[in-house]
Amino acid sequence: MVLGSVLGGLLTDWFGWSAVFYVNVLLAGVGVIAALVLLPQTARTGSGGFDVPGALLGTVASTLLVFALVQGPEAGWTAPVVVWSLVVALVLFVLFLLVEAKAASPLVPLRLFRNRDLSTGSVITFLFMATFGALAYFLTQLWQVVQGYSAWQTGFAFVVPSGCVLLGTVIGGKAATRLGVRTTLLLSLALGIMGTPALALSIGAGVSYAVLVPSLAVLSLGRGMVFTTMFAAASTGAPAGDQGIGGGIATTGQQIGGAVGLAVLIALAASANGPRTDADPAQLVAGIKLATWAIAAGIAVTVLAALRLRNAATSDDRRAPAIETAEAPVQEPSSEPAAEGVPVEAERVLVEAGRVPVEAGRVPVEGERAPVEAERAPVDRVG
């Protein structure tokens, strides 16, 4: 991340802004070759086909939505191309939901949204990119347009926040293990709430970089910690077979959140810039400050969303089996033999600890959400 900010500035300075897109094609090609060589072949786990209608509807709807949000501030929200893009995106999104509800093997199983952590985690990833993720745009405006930094100088200016984000990702992972995902996420967002208003108060046309560093460091540290824990929060409680789909849903929310948040913040900043901002770049400062305050408010809203999460198990909790059974229905004891490989000892420990009722038979292990009829062990084997 730190190297990318520096190289991005240098490439833009030497070859123009388009160079940062071309280099991604090269790096992606290297990644494809490395994946073919290094990653082992895995067996197919799904039995259904690929949801082509859902994939087409979801892709076109998302593309039109992002296109409208990006073009809105420039072309005007009442421009026909913007209005029609939004209308068609809404219609296609409704069709996408209808297709997913009836598909045999849906691209996005709607049942997953009944998982409170996944749905809340997806909202958090959306808000993360709409707030933290949009800040880089306004910092670039401040440094390059207002203060006259060159592209490579701006790249080096991002070294401090990028380094703090990198450090935050490491701290966030360790903290989530000890404190739980929810607690760590709330602490991370608190850093963002402290750093972002301080940055807004510091921004000015003639402000030095050194004055901005403390607030940038605090909010960037929080950003890195949030980035690590928000995906862990979204995957909490999801069955093992749905982890990939759950991660895809959270990532989709992240990408759409970036487009929506930036479009809203740009429109908000434009309302405060005043006329003829191109003639006097210093007038951009008012809009940048307003957008930064709005980002701080958005982070506060993210805190409210994070309060809905259930705290994941900490390292102390993992010393004993920890199986969540609140959603598992109580069933009568079964006389069927235990499935091969079922850890009956784990069941005995849980029953003795009062974690599950004896009548439930075998409790799910290793991430299962509910007992499967064919795998339940008889109660008379417990203990």
Side-chain angles (χ1 to χ4, degrees):
M1 181 180 293
V2 177
L3 183 62
S5 65
V6 175
L7 292 180
L10 292 175
L11 286 173
T12 302
D13 206 39
W14 293 340
F15 305 107
W17 61 266
S18 58
V20 298
F21 295 97
Y22 293 136
V23 73
N24 284 332
V25 176
L26 176 62
L27 294 176
V30 174
V32 170
I33 296 174
L36 292 174
V37 174
L38 300 177
L39 296 181
Q41 182 67 34
T42 57
R44 180 178 177 179
T45 57
S47 58
F50 183 71
D51 182 15
V52 176
L56 292 175
L57 288 171
T59 301
V60 176
S62 300
T63 301
L64 287 175
L65 175 62
V66 172
F67 172 80
L69 293 173
V70 171
Q71 293 297 316
E74 180 177 350
W77 293 104
T78 58
V81 65
V82 175
V83 173
W84 278 110
S85 296
L86 289 173
V87 171
V88 175
L90 178 61
V91 172
L92 292 180
F93 182 69
V94 172
L95 292 176
F96 171 77
L97 294 178
L98 295 176
V99 168
E100 297 306 281
K102 297 181 179 181
S105 180
L107 181 69
V108 180
L110 300 183
R111 60 179 171 78
L112 291 180
F113 290 100
R114 293 196 295 267
N115 183 319
R116 188 175 74 184
D117 290 325
L118 175 58
S119 58
T120 303
S122 299
V123 171
I124 291 173
T125 60
F126 177 95
L127 292 173
F128 170 83
M129 282 302 295
T131 54
F132 285 107
L135 189 58
Y137 171 84
F138 295 99
L139 288 175
T140 302
Q141 291 284 304
L142 173 66
W143 287 328
Q144 285 195 257
V145 180
V146 176
Q147 297 188 331
Y149 283 25
S150 65
W152 72 266
Q153 286 176 318
T154 303
F156 276 99
F158 275 106
V159 167
V160 169
S162 297
C164 290
V165 169
L166 183 60
L167 179 62
T169 59
V170 177
I171 296 175
K174 294 182 179 296
T177 302
R178 295 182 60 86
L179 305 176
V181 172
R182 180 175 178 268
T183 300
T184 302
L185 191 56
L186 291 173
L187 292 174
S188 307
L189 292 169
L191 290 176
I193 292 177
M194 289 188 294
T196 309
L199 178 65
L201 292 172
S202 303
I203 288 175
V207 65
S208 68
Y209 181 77
V211 172
L212 300 177
V213 165
S215 56
L216 283 175
V218 172
L219 71 89
S220 298
L221 187 66
R223 176 181 176 176
M225 294 176 65
V226 172
F227 187 84
T228 299
T229 51
M230 67 182 184
F231 287 106
S235 63
T236 299
D242 292 328
Q243 289 285 335
I245 299 176
I249 293 173
T251 302
T252 301
Q254 176 191 6
Q255 300 303 321
I256 295 179
V260 172
L262 187 58
V264 171
L265 290 169
I266 289 176
L268 186 63
S271 67
N273 286 337
R276 297 186 58 81
T277 56
D278 56 334
D280 184 9
Q283 293 184 40
L284 286 171
V285 172
I288 294 172
K289 289 175 72 73
L290 180 59
T292 307
W293 280 111
I295 289 172
I299 296 173
V301 173
T302 310
V303 171
L304 298 179
L307 290 173
R308 296 191 68 250
L309 293 170
R310 291 168 290 193
N311 216 23
T314 64
S315 57
D316 292 336
D317 295 330
R318 293 190 181 97
R319 294 173 186 171
I323 307 299
E324 181 184 356
T325 59
E327 300 178 10
V330 176
Q331 302 183 16
E332 294 298 323
S334 172
S335 59
E336 301 176 20
E340 183 179 357
V342 173
V344 179
E345 179 62 19
E347 177 188 8
R348 183 186 66 78
V349 173
L350 288 169
V351 173
E352 290 180 354
R355 299 294 294 273
V356 294
V358 176
E359 291 80 10
R362 191 188 72 79
V363 296
V365 296
E366 296 181 0
E368 297 174 357
R369 299 295 295 173
V372 181
E373 184 69 21
E375 294 182 356
R376 288 189 293 120
V379 176
D380 58 4
R381 292 188 60 183
V382 178

